[in-house]
Amino acid sequence: MTVHVLREASADAGLPLVLLHGFPLDHRMWEPVAGRVDGARAVLAVDLPGAGGSTAADPALPEPALEASADAVAHALAAASVDRAVVAGLSMGGYVALALLERHPGLVAGLGLVDTRSTADTDDARANRLRIADEVLASGSVDPVRPMAGMLVGETTRASAPDLVEQIAAWIDGQDPGGVAWSQRAMAARPDRTELLRGFAGPVAVVVGEEDQIAPLEAAEHMVAAAPAAQLVVVPRSGHMSAVEQPDEVAAALSDLAARADSA
Ligand code: MLT
């Protein structure tokens, strides 16, 4: 797994900010935010197992589990000499950030939970993921998940920025079908990590697009109620891809989170 340096740090710049992407995308979805983060801290991102340059075959993936994704992130960061960071994840990236907090707590100085949830899938959602994983493998293509491009964004973006929907579709088209199926199965297997949040005293930013119908405001409020030091940011004119749809607001929220973590 490669650690992509989206922005180099200057000296004494504060904790690095590590960004974990959503499904079925890769680190490129964070580029608009990275350039807008305040200050001079390093902004890093990875392609999670099965996504982008971390294809299903390179290295061969273990049994589908987000715990394996979290361990791979910790390993890659250690190799890049990062042993403490502010970690923010969007949707699937948020699930991985929580797994990272559970398995590598010393690494996580602050937590950004963007358009995500701390709960496990319902039985229906889990069955749907496993069906889509089977379809992707049977077709050998990402066709079964391509329609997600239009569903990930909110109604405002769909109406006013069709180029963003096309950009997301192009990112999806570039994904490896084996990796897409692996990620779906890994997400289906994740547990509820709300209790873990209750025990995390560090700063937390819970960010949600006001038009997000995939991980809506109620899911965000559930996490805010659990985490002792959580702040809620609702992003106007945005759906589930707030980091892509409204990068200014998301960068501001994560800048504030990182400043809180620096001074904690
Ligand atoms: C994502 O954006 O990562 C996905 O919507 C996550 C999911 O399917 O739960």
Short mmCIF file of all heavy atoms in Angstrom, two decimals, residues 63-130:
data_model
loop_
_atom_site.label_atom_id
_atom_site.label_comp_id
_atom_site.label_asym_id
_atom_site.label_seq_id
_atom_site.Cartn_x
_atom_site.Cartn_y
_atom_site.Cartn_z
N GLU A 63 -8.97 -12.88 3.80
CA GLU A 63 -10.42 -12.95 3.94
C GLU A 63 -10.97 -11.53 4.07
O GLU A 63 -10.37 -10.70 4.77
CB GLU A 63 -10.79 -13.73 5.21
CG GLU A 63 -10.69 -15.23 5.08
CD GLU A 63 -11.66 -15.76 4.03
OE1 GLU A 63 -12.88 -15.61 4.22
OE2 GLU A 63 -11.17 -16.28 3.01
N PRO A 64 -12.12 -11.23 3.44
CA PRO A 64 -12.62 -9.86 3.50
C PRO A 64 -12.91 -9.40 4.93
O PRO A 64 -13.73 -10.01 5.63
CB PRO A 64 -13.92 -9.92 2.69
CG PRO A 64 -13.77 -11.11 1.81
CD PRO A 64 -12.95 -12.10 2.58
N ALA A 65 -12.24 -8.36 5.37
CA ALA A 65 -12.43 -7.83 6.72
C ALA A 65 -11.82 -6.43 6.78
O ALA A 65 -10.67 -6.25 6.36
CB ALA A 65 -11.75 -8.73 7.75
N LEU A 66 -12.56 -5.47 7.32
CA LEU A 66 -12.01 -4.12 7.43
C LEU A 66 -10.89 -4.05 8.46
O LEU A 66 -10.10 -3.11 8.45
CB LEU A 66 -13.13 -3.12 7.76
CG LEU A 66 -14.20 -2.97 6.68
CD1 LEU A 66 -15.22 -1.94 7.09
CD2 LEU A 66 -13.59 -2.61 5.32
N GLU A 67 -10.82 -5.06 9.34
CA GLU A 67 -9.69 -5.12 10.28
C GLU A 67 -8.39 -5.27 9.49
O GLU A 67 -7.36 -4.69 9.85
CB GLU A 67 -9.86 -6.28 11.25
CG GLU A 67 -10.99 -6.11 12.27
CD GLU A 67 -12.38 -6.38 11.69
OE1 GLU A 67 -12.48 -6.84 10.52
OE2 GLU A 67 -13.37 -6.11 12.39
N ALA A 68 -8.44 -6.05 8.41
CA ALA A 68 -7.24 -6.21 7.56
C ALA A 68 -6.89 -4.88 6.90
O ALA A 68 -5.72 -4.53 6.75
CB ALA A 68 -7.48 -7.29 6.52
N SER A 69 -7.93 -4.13 6.51
CA SER A 69 -7.68 -2.81 5.91
C SER A 69 -7.00 -1.90 6.93
O SER A 69 -6.04 -1.18 6.61
CB SER A 69 -9.00 -2.18 5.45
OG SER A 69 -9.64 -3.00 4.51
N ALA A 70 -7.51 -1.91 8.16
CA ALA A 70 -6.94 -1.06 9.20
C ALA A 70 -5.48 -1.44 9.46
O ALA A 70 -4.61 -0.57 9.60
CB ALA A 70 -7.77 -1.17 10.48
N ASP A 71 -5.21 -2.73 9.53
CA ASP A 71 -3.83 -3.17 9.77
C ASP A 71 -2.92 -2.74 8.62
O ASP A 71 -1.77 -2.35 8.84
CB ASP A 71 -3.77 -4.70 9.93
CG ASP A 71 -4.44 -5.16 11.23
OD1 ASP A 71 -4.78 -4.31 12.08
OD2 ASP A 71 -4.63 -6.38 11.38
N ALA A 72 -3.44 -2.81 7.40
CA ALA A 72 -2.63 -2.41 6.24
C ALA A 72 -2.32 -0.91 6.30
O ALA A 72 -1.21 -0.48 5.97
CB ALA A 72 -3.36 -2.77 4.94
N VAL A 73 -3.30 -0.11 6.73
CA VAL A 73 -3.07 1.34 6.86
C VAL A 73 -2.01 1.59 7.93
O VAL A 73 -1.05 2.36 7.71
CB VAL A 73 -4.38 2.07 7.22
CG1 VAL A 73 -4.11 3.54 7.56
CG2 VAL A 73 -5.39 1.97 6.07
N ALA A 74 -2.15 0.93 9.07
CA ALA A 74 -1.18 1.13 10.17
C ALA A 74 0.23 0.75 9.71
O ALA A 74 1.21 1.45 10.00
CB ALA A 74 -1.59 0.32 11.39
N HIS A 75 0.31 -0.35 8.98
CA HIS A 75 1.60 -0.83 8.49
C HIS A 75 2.22 0.19 7.51
O HIS A 75 3.40 0.54 7.60
CB HIS A 75 1.39 -2.18 7.81
CG HIS A 75 2.63 -2.84 7.36
ND1 HIS A 75 3.48 -3.49 8.22
CD2 HIS A 75 3.20 -2.94 6.13
CE1 HIS A 75 4.52 -3.96 7.54
NE2 HIS A 75 4.38 -3.63 6.27
N ALA A 76 1.39 0.68 6.58
CA ALA A 76 1.90 1.64 5.58
C ALA A 76 2.33 2.94 6.26
O ALA A 76 3.35 3.54 5.89
CB ALA A 76 0.83 1.91 4.53
N LEU A 77 1.56 3.38 7.26
CA LEU A 77 1.92 4.62 7.95
C LEU A 77 3.22 4.43 8.73
O LEU A 77 4.08 5.31 8.75
CB LEU A 77 0.78 5.07 8.87
CG LEU A 77 -0.47 5.59 8.14
CD1 LEU A 77 -1.58 5.90 9.14
CD2 LEU A 77 -0.17 6.84 7.30
N ALA A 78 3.35 3.27 9.38
CA ALA A 78 4.58 3.01 10.13
C ALA A 78 5.78 3.05 9.19
O ALA A 78 6.83 3.61 9.52
CB ALA A 78 4.49 1.67 10.85
N ALA A 79 5.61 2.47 8.00
CA ALA A 79 6.70 2.47 7.02
C ALA A 79 7.04 3.88 6.56
O ALA A 79 8.16 4.16 6.14
CB ALA A 79 6.34 1.59 5.83
N ALA A 80 6.04 4.78 6.66
CA ALA A 80 6.27 6.19 6.29
C ALA A 80 6.63 7.03 7.52
O ALA A 80 6.58 8.27 7.47
CB ALA A 80 5.03 6.75 5.60
N SER A 81 6.97 6.35 8.63
CA SER A 81 7.38 7.02 9.88
C SER A 81 6.27 7.86 10.51
O SER A 81 6.54 8.86 11.16
CB SER A 81 8.63 7.89 9.67
OG SER A 81 9.68 7.12 9.15
N VAL A 82 5.03 7.45 10.29
CA VAL A 82 3.90 8.14 10.93
C VAL A 82 3.39 7.24 12.04
O VAL A 82 2.86 6.15 11.77
CB VAL A 82 2.76 8.43 9.92
CG1 VAL A 82 1.54 9.02 10.63
CG2 VAL A 82 3.26 9.35 8.81
N ASP A 83 3.57 7.67 13.31
CA ASP A 83 3.10 6.83 14.42
C ASP A 83 1.95 7.49 15.18
O ASP A 83 1.40 6.89 16.11
CB ASP A 83 4.25 6.47 15.37
CG ASP A 83 4.94 7.69 15.93
OD1 ASP A 83 4.44 8.81 15.70
OD2 ASP A 83 5.98 7.52 16.60
N ARG A 84 1.56 8.72 14.79
CA ARG A 84 0.42 9.39 15.41
C ARG A 84 -0.14 10.37 14.39
O ARG A 84 0.63 11.12 13.74
CB ARG A 84 0.86 10.10 16.69
CG ARG A 84 -0.30 10.54 17.55
CD ARG A 84 0.05 10.48 19.02
NE ARG A 84 -0.99 11.07 19.84
CZ ARG A 84 -2.09 10.43 20.25
NH1 ARG A 84 -2.29 9.16 19.89
NH2 ARG A 84 -2.99 11.03 21.00
N ALA A 85 -1.45 10.40 14.25
CA ALA A 85 -2.05 11.21 13.19
C ALA A 85 -3.50 11.52 13.53
O ALA A 85 -4.11 10.87 14.38
CB ALA A 85 -2.00 10.45 11.86
N VAL A 86 -4.03 12.51 12.84
CA VAL A 86 -5.47 12.74 12.82
C VAL A 86 -5.98 11.91 11.64
O VAL A 86 -5.48 12.04 10.52
CB VAL A 86 -5.78 14.24 12.62
CG1 VAL A 86 -7.28 14.46 12.55
CG2 VAL A 86 -5.15 15.04 13.75
N VAL A 87 -6.96 11.06 11.89
CA VAL A 87 -7.44 10.13 10.86
C VAL A 87 -8.89 10.47 10.53
O VAL A 87 -9.74 10.53 11.43
CB VAL A 87 -7.34 8.67 11.35
CG1 VAL A 87 -7.87 7.72 10.28
CG2 VAL A 87 -5.90 8.32 11.71
N ALA A 88 -9.15 10.71 9.25
CA ALA A 88 -10.52 11.01 8.83
C ALA A 88 -10.91 10.07 7.70
O ALA A 88 -10.13 9.86 6.77
CB ALA A 88 -10.63 12.46 8.37
N GLY A 89 -12.11 9.52 7.78
CA GLY A 89 -12.57 8.61 6.74
C GLY A 89 -13.98 8.96 6.31
O GLY A 89 -14.82 9.32 7.14
N LEU A 90 -14.21 8.86 5.00
CA LEU A 90 -15.55 9.08 4.47
C LEU A 90 -16.21 7.73 4.20
O LEU A 90 -15.66 6.89 3.49
CB LEU A 90 -15.49 9.91 3.18
CG LEU A 90 -16.84 10.29 2.58
CD1 LEU A 90 -16.83 11.70 2.00
CD2 LEU A 90 -17.29 9.30 1.51
N SER A 91 -17.35 7.53 4.80
CA SER A 91 -18.17 6.33 4.61
C SER A 91 -17.36 5.07 4.88
O SER A 91 -16.99 4.83 6.01
CB SER A 91 -18.81 6.33 3.22
OG SER A 91 -19.89 5.44 3.22
N MET A 92 -17.01 4.27 3.87
CA MET A 92 -16.18 3.08 4.14
C MET A 92 -14.90 3.48 4.85
O MET A 92 -14.41 2.76 5.74
CB MET A 92 -15.86 2.33 2.84
CG MET A 92 -14.97 1.12 3.04
SD MET A 92 -14.68 0.18 1.52
CE MET A 92 -13.51 1.24 0.68
N GLY A 93 -14.35 4.64 4.47
CA GLY A 93 -13.14 5.12 5.15
C GLY A 93 -13.38 5.36 6.63
O GLY A 93 -12.48 5.16 7.46
N GLY A 94 -14.59 5.77 6.97
CA GLY A 94 -14.94 5.94 8.39
C GLY A 94 -15.02 4.61 9.11
O GLY A 94 -14.59 4.49 10.27
N TYR A 95 -15.55 3.59 8.43
CA TYR A 95 -15.58 2.25 9.05
C TYR A 95 -14.15 1.78 9.34
O TYR A 95 -13.87 1.18 10.38
CB TYR A 95 -16.24 1.20 8.15
CG TYR A 95 -17.57 1.53 7.52
CD1 TYR A 95 -17.96 0.90 6.33
CD2 TYR A 95 -18.46 2.44 8.09
CE1 TYR A 95 -19.18 1.16 5.73
CE2 TYR A 95 -19.68 2.72 7.48
CZ TYR A 95 -20.03 2.08 6.30
OH TYR A 95 -21.23 2.36 5.69
N VAL A 96 -13.25 2.07 8.38
CA VAL A 96 -11.85 1.65 8.56
C VAL A 96 -11.18 2.48 9.66
O VAL A 96 -10.40 1.96 10.47
CB VAL A 96 -11.06 1.76 7.23
CG1 VAL A 96 -9.58 1.44 7.44
CG2 VAL A 96 -11.66 0.81 6.19
N ALA A 97 -11.52 3.78 9.72
CA ALA A 97 -10.95 4.63 10.78
C ALA A 97 -11.33 4.08 12.16
O ALA A 97 -10.50 4.07 13.08
CB ALA A 97 -11.43 6.07 10.60
N LEU A 98 -12.56 3.63 12.30
CA LEU A 98 -12.98 3.06 13.59
C LEU A 98 -12.25 1.75 13.88
O LEU A 98 -11.87 1.48 15.02
CB LEU A 98 -14.50 2.86 13.60
CG LEU A 98 -15.32 4.16 13.72
CD1 LEU A 98 -16.81 3.90 13.48
CD2 LEU A 98 -15.11 4.79 15.10
N ALA A 99 -12.06 0.94 12.85
CA ALA A 99 -11.29 -0.31 13.05
C ALA A 99 -9.84 0.01 13.43
O ALA A 99 -9.22 -0.69 14.25
CB ALA A 99 -11.35 -1.17 11.78
N LEU A 100 -9.32 1.09 12.86
CA LEU A 100 -7.96 1.52 13.19
C LEU A 100 -7.89 1.97 14.66
O LEU A 100 -6.93 1.63 15.37
CB LEU A 100 -7.59 2.68 12.26
CG LEU A 100 -6.15 3.07 12.09
CD1 LEU A 100 -5.32 1.95 11.48
CD2 LEU A 100 -6.06 4.31 11.18
N LEU A 101 -8.90 2.70 15.10
CA LEU A 101 -8.94 3.14 16.50
C LEU A 101 -8.98 1.93 17.44
O LEU A 101 -8.33 1.93 18.48
CB LEU A 101 -10.18 4.03 16.72
CG LEU A 101 -10.42 4.49 18.15
CD1 LEU A 101 -9.29 5.38 18.65
CD2 LEU A 101 -11.76 5.23 18.25
N GLU A 102 -9.71 0.91 17.05
CA GLU A 102 -9.83 -0.29 17.89
C GLU A 102 -8.51 -1.05 17.95
O GLU A 102 -8.08 -1.49 19.01
CB GLU A 102 -10.92 -1.19 17.31
CG GLU A 102 -11.20 -2.43 18.11
CD GLU A 102 -12.40 -3.15 17.52
OE1 GLU A 102 -12.20 -3.95 16.57
OE2 GLU A 102 -13.53 -2.91 17.96
N ARG A 103 -7.86 -1.19 16.81
CA ARG A 103 -6.70 -2.08 16.71
C ARG A 103 -5.37 -1.37 16.91
O ARG A 103 -4.38 -2.02 17.28
CB ARG A 103 -6.72 -2.80 15.36
CG ARG A 103 -7.93 -3.68 15.20
CD ARG A 103 -8.07 -4.17 13.78
NE ARG A 103 -7.10 -5.18 13.43
CZ ARG A 103 -7.20 -6.47 13.73
NH1 ARG A 103 -8.22 -6.89 14.44
NH2 ARG A 103 -6.28 -7.32 13.31
N HIS A 104 -5.34 -0.07 16.66
CA HIS A 104 -4.09 0.71 16.75
C HIS A 104 -4.38 2.04 17.45
O HIS A 104 -4.18 3.12 16.87
CB HIS A 104 -3.51 0.93 15.35
CG HIS A 104 -3.29 -0.34 14.58
ND1 HIS A 104 -2.16 -1.11 14.72
CD2 HIS A 104 -4.11 -1.00 13.72
CE1 HIS A 104 -2.28 -2.19 13.95
NE2 HIS A 104 -3.45 -2.15 13.33
N PRO A 105 -4.87 1.98 18.69
CA PRO A 105 -5.36 3.22 19.33
C PRO A 105 -4.29 4.29 19.49
O PRO A 105 -4.61 5.48 19.44
CB PRO A 105 -5.89 2.73 20.69
CG PRO A 105 -5.28 1.39 20.90
CD PRO A 105 -5.03 0.81 19.55
N GLY A 106 -3.02 3.89 19.64
CA GLY A 106 -1.96 4.87 19.83
C GLY A 106 -1.74 5.73 18.59
O GLY A 106 -1.15 6.81 18.67
N LEU A 107 -2.20 5.26 17.46
CA LEU A 107 -2.01 5.99 16.20
C LEU A 107 -2.98 7.16 16.05
O LEU A 107 -2.70 8.14 15.38
CB LEU A 107 -2.21 4.98 15.05
CG LEU A 107 -2.00 5.39 13.61
CD1 LEU A 107 -0.65 6.03 13.40
CD2 LEU A 107 -2.15 4.17 12.71
N VAL A 108 -4.15 7.04 16.70
CA VAL A 108 -5.25 7.96 16.39
C VAL A 108 -5.34 9.08 17.43
O VAL A 108 -5.81 8.88 18.54
CB VAL A 108 -6.60 7.19 16.31
CG1 VAL A 108 -7.72 8.15 15.95
CG2 VAL A 108 -6.51 6.06 15.29
N ALA A 109 -4.91 10.29 17.02
CA ALA A 109 -4.95 11.45 17.93
C ALA A 109 -6.27 12.20 17.82
O ALA A 109 -6.67 12.91 18.74
CB ALA A 109 -3.80 12.40 17.60
N GLY A 110 -6.94 12.05 16.70
CA GLY A 110 -8.23 12.70 16.47
C GLY A 110 -8.92 11.94 15.35
O GLY A 110 -8.26 11.30 14.52
N LEU A 111 -10.25 12.04 15.33
CA LEU A 111 -11.02 11.17 14.43
C LEU A 111 -12.04 12.00 13.65
O LEU A 111 -12.87 12.70 14.26
CB LEU A 111 -11.72 10.12 15.30
CG LEU A 111 -12.33 8.89 14.68
CD1 LEU A 111 -11.31 8.11 13.86
CD2 LEU A 111 -12.89 8.00 15.79
N GLY A 112 -11.97 11.93 12.33
CA GLY A 112 -12.97 12.57 11.48
C GLY A 112 -13.87 11.52 10.88
O GLY A 112 -13.39 10.63 10.17
N LEU A 113 -15.14 11.59 11.16
CA LEU A 113 -16.12 10.60 10.67
C LEU A 113 -17.06 11.32 9.72
O LEU A 113 -17.95 12.07 10.15
CB LEU A 113 -16.85 9.98 11.86
CG LEU A 113 -15.92 9.22 12.83
CD1 LEU A 113 -16.64 8.88 14.13
CD2 LEU A 113 -15.39 7.95 12.16
N VAL A 114 -16.84 11.11 8.42
CA VAL A 114 -17.49 11.91 7.39
C VAL A 114 -18.48 11.03 6.62
O VAL A 114 -18.09 10.00 6.03
CB VAL A 114 -16.42 12.48 6.41
CG1 VAL A 114 -17.09 13.39 5.38
CG2 VAL A 114 -15.32 13.21 7.17
N ASP A 115 -19.75 11.42 6.60
CA ASP A 115 -20.77 10.67 5.84
C ASP A 115 -20.65 9.17 6.10
O ASP A 115 -20.55 8.36 5.16
CB ASP A 115 -20.65 10.98 4.33
CG ASP A 115 -20.87 12.45 4.03
OD1 ASP A 115 -21.87 13.00 4.48
OD2 ASP A 115 -20.02 13.05 3.34
N THR A 116 -20.65 8.82 7.37
CA THR A 116 -20.43 7.42 7.73
C THR A 116 -21.32 7.05 8.91
O THR A 116 -22.16 7.85 9.34
CB THR A 116 -18.93 7.18 8.02
OG1 THR A 116 -18.66 5.79 8.08
CG2 THR A 116 -18.46 7.87 9.30
N ARG A 117 -21.15 5.87 9.44
CA ARG A 117 -21.93 5.43 10.59
C ARG A 117 -21.08 4.48 11.43
O ARG A 117 -20.15 3.83 10.91
CB ARG A 117 -23.23 4.74 10.13
CG ARG A 117 -23.03 3.51 9.28
CD ARG A 117 -24.35 2.82 8.94
NE ARG A 117 -25.12 3.49 7.90
CZ ARG A 117 -26.35 3.97 8.06
NH1 ARG A 117 -26.95 3.86 9.23
NH2 ARG A 117 -26.97 4.56 7.06
N SER A 118 -21.42 4.37 12.71
CA SER A 118 -20.67 3.47 13.60
C SER A 118 -21.38 2.13 13.76
O SER A 118 -20.82 1.21 14.37
CB SER A 118 -20.50 4.11 14.98
OG SER A 118 -21.76 4.42 15.54
N THR A 119 -22.58 2.02 13.24
CA THR A 119 -23.35 0.79 13.41
C THR A 119 -23.02 -0.21 12.30
O THR A 119 -22.46 0.15 11.26
CB THR A 119 -24.86 1.10 13.39
OG1 THR A 119 -25.14 1.89 12.24
CG2 THR A 119 -25.27 1.86 14.64
N ALA A 120 -23.42 -1.48 12.53
CA ALA A 120 -23.25 -2.53 11.53
C ALA A 120 -24.38 -2.45 10.51
O ALA A 120 -25.34 -1.68 10.68
CB ALA A 120 -23.25 -3.89 12.23
N ASP A 121 -24.28 -3.23 9.45
CA ASP A 121 -25.36 -3.31 8.45
C ASP A 121 -26.59 -3.98 9.04
O ASP A 121 -26.48 -4.87 9.91
CB ASP A 121 -24.91 -4.18 7.27
CG ASP A 121 -24.00 -3.44 6.30
OD1 ASP A 121 -23.89 -2.19 6.41
OD2 ASP A 121 -23.41 -4.11 5.44
N THR A 122 -27.74 -3.60 8.53
CA THR A 122 -28.94 -4.40 8.79
C THR A 122 -28.82 -5.70 7.99
O THR A 122 -27.99 -5.81 7.07
CB THR A 122 -30.20 -3.66 8.31
OG1 THR A 122 -30.08 -3.47 6.89
CG2 THR A 122 -30.34 -2.31 9.00
N ASP A 123 -29.67 -6.66 8.31
CA ASP A 123 -29.62 -7.93 7.56
C ASP A 123 -29.86 -7.70 6.07
O ASP A 123 -29.20 -8.30 5.21
CB ASP A 123 -30.67 -8.91 8.11
CG ASP A 123 -30.29 -9.43 9.49
OD1 ASP A 123 -29.11 -9.25 9.89
OD2 ASP A 123 -31.16 -10.00 10.16
N ASP A 124 -30.80 -6.80 5.75
CA ASP A 124 -31.10 -6.53 4.33
C ASP A 124 -29.91 -5.89 3.62
O ASP A 124 -29.57 -6.26 2.49
CB ASP A 124 -32.30 -5.57 4.21
CG ASP A 124 -33.62 -6.30 4.43
OD1 ASP A 124 -33.59 -7.54 4.56
OD2 ASP A 124 -34.66 -5.61 4.50
N ALA A 125 -29.28 -4.92 4.30
CA ALA A 125 -28.13 -4.24 3.69
C ALA A 125 -26.98 -5.22 3.46
O ALA A 125 -26.31 -5.20 2.43
CB ALA A 125 -27.67 -3.08 4.57
N ARG A 126 -26.81 -6.12 4.44
CA ARG A 126 -25.72 -7.11 4.32
C ARG A 126 -26.00 -8.05 3.14
O ARG A 126 -25.11 -8.31 2.32
CB ARG A 126 -25.62 -7.90 5.63
CG ARG A 126 -24.39 -8.76 5.73
CD ARG A 126 -24.28 -9.42 7.11
NE ARG A 126 -24.21 -8.45 8.19
CZ ARG A 126 -25.14 -8.31 9.14
NH1 ARG A 126 -26.21 -9.08 9.16
NH2 ARG A 126 -24.99 -7.41 10.09
N ALA A 127 -27.23 -8.51 3.05
CA ALA A 127 -27.58 -9.43 1.95
C ALA A 127 -27.40 -8.74 0.60
O ALA A 127 -26.91 -9.35 -0.37
CB ALA A 127 -29.02 -9.91 2.12
N ASN A 128 -27.77 -7.45 0.53
CA ASN A 128 -27.62 -6.70 -0.71
C ASN A 128 -26.15 -6.58 -1.10
O ASN A 128 -25.77 -6.74 -2.27
CB ASN A 128 -28.25 -5.30 -0.53
CG ASN A 128 -28.42 -4.61 -1.85
OD1 ASN A 128 -28.86 -5.21 -2.82
ND2 ASN A 128 -28.04 -3.34 -1.89
N ARG A 129 -25.28 -6.30 -0.13
CA ARG A 129 -23.84 -6.20 -0.42
C ARG A 129 -23.31 -7.52 -0.98
O ARG A 129 -22.53 -7.54 -1.93
CB ARG A 129 -23.06 -5.92 0.86
CG ARG A 129 -23.15 -4.54 1.37
CD ARG A 129 -22.05 -4.36 2.40
NE ARG A 129 -22.30 -3.21 3.25
CZ ARG A 129 -22.11 -1.95 2.90
NH1 ARG A 129 -21.67 -1.68 1.68
NH2 ARG A 129 -22.34 -0.97 3.74
N LEU A 130 -23.71 -8.64 -0.35
CA LEU A 130 -23.17 -9.94 -0.78
C LEU A 130 -23.68 -10.27 -2.19
O LEU A 130 -22.94 -10.82 -3.02
CB LEU A 130 -23.55 -11.02 0.23
CG LEU A 130 -22.99 -10.77 1.65
CD1 LEU A 130 -23.43 -11.86 2.62
CD2 LEU A 130 -21.46 -10.65 1.64
#
